Amino acid sequence: MIQFIVSILLFFVIFFGLAFILNMLLRRTWLLAVIYPFIVLIIVDDISTVEYFTSPGESFAQAFSRLTNITAADITILLAGFIGTIVSGFVIRLLRRSGYQMF
């Protein structure tokens, strides 16, 4: 149970930080929130990225099959990462409205 809570917090903080830094550097508020489903696909599947280009039909079918087989705990942890990217977008918008131009 402790590992589950720590994993949720870890994914939230990691993806909040990544999204925050990416938003500062590229000035694209919701970029990581859009990219996040692809990151989840990379985390969940055990398929080489090259295989998506060499045999896309089989690779995507296998990846979506593995996505449907993840547990509720995994979904919760991955959802915490997505919420971290969303919160980061709102924080960046708030900082920009408050006058911080580097954000």
Side-chain angles (χ1 to χ4, degrees), residues 1-102:
M1 184 66 177
I2 299 290
Q3 294 170 344
F4 179 65
I5 294 169
V6 168
S7 296
I8 289 173
L9 290 173
L10 186 65
F11 262 67
F12 180 84
V13 169
I14 285 173
F15 282 103
F16 177 87
L18 286 173
F20 193 86
I21 291 169
L22 196 62
N23 290 334
M24 279 194 318
L25 294 175
L26 301 178
R27 299 188 58 88
R28 302 282 185 250
T29 305
W30 304 109
L31 180 65
L32 194 60
V34 173
I35 296 173
Y36 190 75
F38 298 107
I39 294 171
V40 168
L41 189 66
I42 292 169
I43 291 171
V44 172
D45 70 355
D46 288 329
I47 303 169
S48 171
T49 307
V50 175
E51 289 183 36
Y52 284 111
F53 297 106
T54 57
S55 59
E58 182 181 324
S59 299
F60 280 108
Q62 186 178 8
F64 288 121
S65 171
R66 290 195 178 153
L67 274 175
T68 58
N69 292 333
I70 60 175
T71 63
D74 295 331
I75 292 171
T76 306
I77 293 168
L78 293 171
L79 189 63
F82 183 66
I83 291 170
T85 63
I86 299 297
V87 170
S88 172
F90 285 118
V91 168
I92 288 286
R93 285 181 58 197
L94 178 71
L95 288 171
R96 286 182 185 146
R97 277 193 220 142
S98 298
Y100 292 97
Q101 293 301 317
M102 70 176 180

